[in-house]
Amino acid sequence: MTTTEKPQEFKVVGTRPIRHDGIDKVLGRAVYGSDVRLAGMIYGAVLRSPYAHAKITKIDTSKAEAMPGVFAVMSGKDMPLVASGALDLGETVDDTAFTSDRVMAHDKVVFKGHPVAAVAAIDQNTGLEALKLIEVEYEVLKPVISLEDAMAPGAVVIHEGLIGDDLGEKVNNTNIAVHNRSEFGDPEAAFAKSATVLERTFIISRAHQGYIEPHASTAFWAPDGKITVWTTTQAPFGVRKTVSALLEQPLSDIKVIPTEIGGGFGGKIPVYLEPVAAVLSKKAGRPVKITMDRRAVFEASGPGPGGTIKVKMGVDDKGKITAATADIRYGAGAYPGASINPATAGIFACYEVPNVRIDSYDVVINMSKTAAYRAPGTPQATFASETLVGELCEIIGMSPMDFHLLNVSREGTRRPDGPVFPRIGNEACLEAIQGSEHFKSTLEPSTESKLRGRGMASGYWNGIGNKSSVTINVNEDGLVSLIEGNPDIGGTRTTIAMQAAEILGLPAEDVHPAVGDTDSIGYSDLTAGSRTTYATGTAAIEAAKMVIDEMKKRVAMIWETEYGNIEHVDGLFVSKVAPDHKFTFKEAAGKLGQTGGPVAMTGTVNVRGSGGGSFGTHLVDVEVDRDTGKVEILRYTAAQDAGKAVHPSYVEGQFQGGAVQGIGWALNEEYYTSDDGVMVNSTFLDYRMPTSLDVPMIETIIVEVANTNHPFGVRGIGETSIVPPAPAVANALANAIGVRLYQTPMNPGRILEALATKKTGK
Amino acid sequence: MTQTPEQSVRKVSVQCTLNGQPTEFLAAPYLSLLEVLRETLGLTGTKEGCNDGNCGACTVNVDGRIVDSCLMLGAEAEGKTIETIEGVAPAGGLHPLQQAFLEEAALQCGICTPGFLVSAKALLEREPDADEPRIRLWLAGNLCRCTGYDKIIRAVEKARDEMK
């Protein structure tokens, strides 16, 4: 572990307690989305479009309605299209009309898998049989699948109502929802004066988050108008807002109960099934549960966008960056919203770039709408920039580590899209890798059949702060319960509870955390943007401070002294005026009944600015089989700035998990799509995610450069780790095989092609 | 008037041993063991991730072999001895694998955890000395998207050492 400054002293933060919800999860008792079982519950099933682009000319549900065991059937007419408006989901803003149309098609289907109707039946199989009885007639339209087709003049326009924003100007009849530009200085003039300039175009595949738990939602629409939703989501308050907007029901009539969540990575922010289950429930008068099957998860929920990224970089004769430009084009899927802004923020964030221009395009195509996927938009853009840097280093004969250190962004550096960096750990991560045993080790030389190479890359994710609430209740035995509003995807109940425990002077085990529903905890933004441990942790610290403050008042009352005479030191309440007066937290808690009753405090925060920004540097050794093109990851080290690691095991886990997801994107994962817009590899057999056999142990180095925006120095760390892997692997592959790949996935076929090209010199 | 699929076929009566208890259930012959466990018997610890035998979230132990319960019919359970995640822990305690998963932070979201535990338990019962490559091979049928497998492998190694 690298520590770059004198750390604060902690008793709980930085330790590794067993997570509070762990016991239920190893016993199989934890209730996830599809584990919800309610009295009288029936099962929903969704009919999805077989076409990527078509007009719906007729829907006849009468036969399905007449089938025994069927309680309700619905289609677009039962969930009218709502007016356009802003749907602020905390990290992103969607349009209500587009969301309404996405959840249940109205006049047109715009992606394969688009819901067109749904049924609720006595059991799952009856529901699936009933779907076969729904008659839908389509007028098939030409699908727009590639970015080139979508952006070409005279392209088939997917949404007639879409008004594009081209650098602030409104454009009609377009598939280009947004064209943004971020620039300063004069890149052209700087390129002209550069010693070396390199430009390359990269293609990166659309990739799915691949959470193992499919989407699952249950809803009950009671006769009094109250709607209760049980759902696996990263954003219970976002679900409340979306259901309210789409069904045009009062926000406060909707209660969202988040279940345990089996992975999300950004993909469980959007609403898919909740409004459909609610409408079916209203018709049937029973709770309705809908679970997506895996094929629908791939086809109809949002992966991260694929796209084309052109990058150009110039350097002087010392290797110092003179200018950089980028042209980022992402396929948003059937509705606007590809993550182009974080791509712009991240693409050159690791460097000081004096002259820069970044153009970005959010382009609508006939595939499912993309969603956030761990550091949204940034792994794609960084694959381009960091692979280009790798090649540039080869050309100018400089080691990538020296290049990074020479051009490193630091506190005070202007990020290419505008903001000036606060204190950041970019350089500290590079130095941590430079000092690692892995970096100092010698790679075994290649043999005739095994080609070996080493590569590195850095990456950045800013993270968000935003709104959170935490309530702490003091029990009479001196333990406390803590309620927060963020679904726990990877141990955040514990990392939030640990921060409260630190202030309260209690062991982590004495704080009992729970995730509340939208009626039982104050508003909390989503579990996303690397914000939960950081921002909700800050709310927990606030609540804990309020508890201590109130208990000091109670203790003062008992000791018949002034509040100002009471101190809380090392977990003890002590009197400045009577040194023999001491209460433990438990003793003080036992006396609350005599001093005014219960203590329950809610801390709320709206953390301005980012999560502090977390940089990471990854180093990888690969081995390529010359005959088969198969890539073996021999060794992998991930260093990243955590600010202060609250629970180091879970910080390591985020580094390791992100690295392996990134390796999957680099080597195997893609949407293999036919010309008519059908994903032909929509199973886990054909969409090949890494297994335990595909990766080695992932070595981790936790770098701690305190975040000045958090009381304990904590940074949001969940997302950065997926940013460096693809370019690190690309650079290692180039080092191994002596030829560069500019497209993911870098699968055996592409590697063999590259080797063949090298051999023939073509 | 047509019938629902459940009404249109005769259910079969199945007797098996489930988590150590003699168990009898009625199931339509097309229901998978996964559907029977989760819907008929209410044992929702066994998870559905893909329903086509590729993720391992529904892994159960059938007569000492690990099986994706989505690929086996409930009717095929006749006469078999089946263990699910609900049968892994001894009464009032945890199996060493469960304890190791907690101590080593081998779960993040936890949805794949039951499948991993059932698979790993079967491995250690057959091969108490299984080394890292062997553990990785054995667990390759269980997908985890959160952990990158590192801490899962370490937890299995820890449990292996403690069970000796």
Side-chain angles (χ1 to χ4, degrees):
Chain A
M1 186 176 294
T2 305
T3 304
T4 58
E5 62 187 54
K6 189 174 181 296
Q8 291 184 58
E9 298 284 323
F10 296 106
K11 286 204 164 68
V12 180
V13 166
T15 64
R16 303 177 189 239
I18 286 175
R19 63 192 281 176
H20 300 77
D21 55 326
I23 193 91
D24 281 347
K25 287 176 178 168
V26 299
L27 289 171
R29 294 175 47 84
V31 175
Y32 291 83
S34 71
D35 300 334
V36 170
R37 293 160 66 91
L38 301 169
M41 187 178 82
I42 55 175
Y43 296 77
V46 177
L47 184 66
R48 296 175 181 277
S49 165
Y51 304 111
H53 197 193
K55 276 186 186 149
I56 301 169
T57 54
K58 183 188 156 193
I59 299 183
D60 182 351
T61 57
S62 55
K63 286 181 187 155
E65 283 163 33
M67 182 175 163
V70 172
F71 287 77
V73 184
M74 70 165 289
S75 64
K77 69 177 166 45
D78 302 294
M79 218 193 92
L81 192 65
V82 301
S84 181
L87 186 63
D88 183 355
L89 297 174
E91 193 178 22
T92 55
V93 180
D94 276 350
D95 178 79
T96 46
F98 280 145
T99 305
S100 167
D101 197 51
R102 173 174 64 72
V103 168
M104 185 61 66
H106 293 86
D107 302 328
K108 259 176 88 170
V109 290
V110 288
F111 60 95
K112 165 133 191 333
H114 198 159
V116 292
V119 303
I122 189 71
D123 57 51
Q124 189 70 54
N125 290 299
T126 305
L128 294 173
E129 290 299 316
L131 291 184
K132 296 177 187 167
L133 301 179
I134 298 175
E135 293 164 10
V136 186
E137 288 175 11
Y138 298 95
E139 180 190 325
V140 179
L141 303 171
K142 186 178 179 332
V144 182
I145 304 302
S146 73
L147 285 176
E148 296 70 34
D149 288 351
M151 297 177 80
V156 172
V157 171
I158 296 172
H159 297 289
E160 282 165 15
L162 173 68
I163 298 166
D165 172 354
D166 183 10
L167 302 176
E169 283 186 30
K170 287 184 178 176
V171 182
N172 291 310
N173 292 316
T174 183
N175 295 317
I176 306 171
V178 181
H179 169 207
N180 277 342
R181 178 174 295 162
S182 193
E183 61 183 335
F184 67 90
D186 186 345
E188 266 65 38
F191 284 138
K193 284 186 238 160
S194 299
T196 308
V197 177
L198 183 65
E199 182 176 49
R200 293 288 183 226
T201 299
F202 297 83
I203 299 170
I204 189 151
S205 49
R206 187 180 163 90
H208 201 275
Q209 296 84 349
Y211 34 81
I212 307 299
E213 179 204 30
H215 298 266
S217 305
T218 306
F220 181 58
W221 194 325
D224 65 356
K226 300 280 200 298
I227 302 171
T228 307
V229 177
W230 296 256
T231 190
T232 172
T233 180
Q234 294 172 241
F237 288 87
V239 170
R240 184 176 74 168
K241 191 178 289 184
T242 309
V243 170
S244 167
L246 267 46
L247 301 180
E248 299 182 304
Q249 297 298 311
L251 187 84
S252 296
D253 278 357
I254 299 157
K255 175 160 91 172
V256 177
I257 303 173
T259 63
E260 294 304 327
I261 173 169
F265 313 104
K268 285 181 183 156
I269 300 170
V271 155
Y272 295 101
L273 302 171
E274 294 88 341
V276 177
V279 169
L280 289 169
S281 170
K282 187 179 189 188
K283 286 190 160 211
R286 287 167 173 247
V288 175
K289 176 165 81 177
I290 313 180
T291 305
M292 260 194 218
D293 61 25
R294 179 55 57 180
R295 186 176 299 272
V297 173
F298 275 120
E299 289 183 339
S301 74
T308 305
I309 302 143
K310 189 189 281 183
V311 191
K312 188 174 180 181
M313 188 176 274
V315 292
D316 67 16
D317 56 0
K318 305 274 192 312
K320 190 97 177 119
I321 297 172
T322 52
T325 59
D327 177 299
I328 301 167
R329 299 172 181 203
Y330 287 165
Y335 302 93
S339 34
I340 55 173
N341 292 338
T344 301
I347 187 163
F348 300 127
C350 296
Y351 303 106
E352 175 145 31
V353 186
N355 299 282
V356 70
R357 185 177 59 250
I358 302 164
D359 282 284
S360 57
Y361 299 85
D362 177 17
V363 184
V364 175
I365 54 174
N366 284 123
M367 296 187 74
S368 63
K369 182 188 185 299
T370 55
Y373 177 14
R374 201 170 199 159
T378 310
Q380 297 95 318
T382 307
F383 169 62
S385 56
E386 285 289 89
T387 307
L388 182 98
V389 162
E391 187 172 1
L392 189 57
C393 287
E394 281 172 23
I395 292 169
I396 64 172
M398 191 170 181
S399 87
M401 179 59 78
D402 291 344
F403 183 90
H404 271 271
L405 288 167
L406 177 68
N407 290 291
V408 73
S409 55
R410 318 182 153 88
E411 182 170 6
T413 302
R414 183 193 194 279
R415 203 173 72 192
D417 61 322
V420 173
F421 281 119
R423 190 197 298 168
I424 49 174
N426 189 12
E427 194 168 15
C429 289
L430 291 165
E431 286 165 352
I433 286 291
Q434 198 173 31
S436 69
E437 195 199 318
H438 182 178
F439 189 85
K440 291 172 184 162
S441 70
T442 310
L443 187 65
E444 252 185 84
S446 296
T447 65
E448 188 62 30
S449 58
K450 305 283 186 191
L451 305 173
R452 301 193 178 97
R454 176 173 290 176
M456 67 168 277
S458 287
Y460 163 77
W461 177 253
N462 189 29
I464 57 171
N466 293 11
K467 300 175 282 295
S468 282
S469 305
V470 167
T471 296
I472 295 177
N473 299 304
V474 181
N475 299 333
E476 58 264 43
D477 61 358
L479 274 60
V480 306
S481 77
L482 180 153
I483 306 166
E484 41 108 351
N486 282 100
D488 181 352
I489 307 193
T492 51
R493 279 185 184 87
T494 298
T495 58
I496 292 163
M498 287 170 75
Q499 292 176 72
E502 188 71 49
I503 297 293
L504 296 171
L506 296 174
E509 293 76 13
D510 284 358
V511 179
H512 295 183
V515 178
D517 62 59
T518 55
D519 276 359
S520 64
I521 181 67
Y523 182 88
S524 296
D525 274 313
L526 65 186
T527 295
S530 298
R531 66 175 295 277
T532 307
T533 294
Y534 165 64
T536 308
T538 305
I541 290 169
E542 287 303 308
K545 284 180 174 168
M546 291 162 77
V547 165
I548 292 297
D549 198 49
E550 179 61 23
M551 288 185 59
K552 278 158 80 174
K553 288 178 193 162
R554 306 299 183 86
V555 169
M557 211 182 288
I558 294 166
W559 289 338
E560 296 176 338
T561 181
E562 298 296 314
Y563 158 78
N565 290 334
I566 307 298
E567 286 184 313
H568 182 244
V569 184
D570 290 336
L572 290 177
F573 294 96
V574 294
S575 170
K576 282 193 231 172
V577 290
D580 58 326
H581 282 178
K582 282 190 173 65
F583 277 151
T584 63
F585 189 91
K586 284 181 184 172
E587 287 166 342
K591 295 177 167 53
L592 295 180
Q594 306 144 32
T595 57
V599 170
M601 294 291 169
T602 298
T604 61
V605 295
N606 187 5
V607 181
R608 302 286 175 188
S610 75
S614 178
F615 283 84
T617 302
H618 291 194
L619 184 67
V620 59
D621 296 349
V622 300
E623 180 180 277
V624 181
D625 186 305
R626 191 193 287 270
D627 296 327
T628 65
K630 187 179 185 306
V631 177
E632 185 90 10
I633 304 290
L634 297 175
R635 188 169 183 184
Y636 202 104
T637 304
Q640 191 183 321
D641 177 16
K644 175 65 200 173
V646 176
H647 191 306
S649 296
Y650 286 101
V651 171
E652 292 159 5
Q654 291 296 321
F655 294 2
Q656 293 163 336
V660 169
Q661 267 185 325
I663 290 168
W665 204 339
L667 294 178
N668 290 303
E669 295 179 32
E670 68 178 320
Y671 270 53
Y672 199 87
T673 309
S674 70
D675 290 343
D676 50 3
V678 177
M679 181 192 188
V680 295
N681 59 332
S682 57
T683 68
F684 277 142
L685 182 64
D686 298 317
Y687 186 91
R688 185 71 171 70
M689 307 198 313
T691 71
S692 54
L693 209 50
D694 298 320
V695 287
M697 294 296 189
I698 307 293
E699 295 164 53
T700 57
I701 305 172
I702 300 175
V703 174
E704 296 190 323
V705 177
N707 175 10
T708 50
N709 212 22
H710 183 280
F712 300 155
V714 173
R715 291 178 196 268
I717 55 95
E719 286 159 292
T720 303
S721 52
I722 199 175
V723 180
V729 168
N731 289 331
L733 280 173
N735 185 235
I737 66 175
V739 51
R740 289 228 158 236
L741 289 117
Y742 302 102
Q743 182 172 3
T744 71
M746 295 171 277
N747 55 28
R750 290 212 174 97
I751 288 168
L752 289 178
E753 266 174 38
L755 282 167
T757 310
K758 184 189 168 196
K759 214 172 182 179
T760 60
K762 279 181 192 166
Chain B
M1 190 113 177
T2 52
Q3 293 176 303
T4 72
E6 291 256 10
Q7 291 163 339
S8 65
V9 291
R10 193 175 187 123
K11 287 182 179 175
V12 288
S13 165
V14 178
Q15 290 185 328
C16 63
T17 302
L18 179 59
N19 295 331
Q21 293 297 311
T23 301
E24 185 167 12
F25 59 84
L26 287 174
Y30 54 76
L31 289 182
S32 67
L33 178 60
L34 175 62
E35 288 174 292
V36 169
L37 289 171
R38 289 182 55 85
E39 301 298 332
T40 311
L41 302 173
L43 295 175
T44 56
T46 304
K47 304 302 181 190
E48 178 183 324
C50 67
N51 209 28
D52 56 16
N54 284 300
C55 78
C58 67
T59 305
V60 298
N61 188 314
V62 179
D63 288 346
R65 294 178 61 197
I66 52 169
V67 171
D68 287 331
S69 60
C70 68
L71 296 183
M72 176 175 160
L73 292 171
E76 293 177 290
E78 174 66 33
K80 300 279 199 294
T81 297
I82 296 168
E83 186 176 274
T84 69
I85 184 63
E86 288 89 350
V88 167
L94 291 177
H95 187 276
L97 275 163
Q98 292 170 314
Q99 186 65 33
F101 267 56
L102 293 178
E103 289 171 1
E104 294 296 303
L107 56 141
Q108 286 179 29
C109 82
I111 195 81
C112 70
T113 307
F116 270 97
L117 288 167
V118 170
S119 289
K121 181 167 180 261
L123 171 64
L124 295 183
E125 281 166 0
R126 285 173 175 226
E127 302 175 31
D129 297 316
D131 61 3
E132 184 193 333
R134 185 66 188 147
I135 295 168
R136 285 190 180 273
L137 179 64
W138 185 271
L139 295 179
N142 293 80
L143 289 176
C144 168
R145 191 62 157 172
C146 295
T147 65
Y149 303 102
D150 184 303
K151 293 187 187 301
I152 292 175
I153 306 299
R154 288 180 200 279
V156 175
E157 289 176 327
K158 182 174 190 172
R160 173 200 65 199
D161 294 345
E162 281 173 9
M163 285 165 73
K164 278 180 187 168

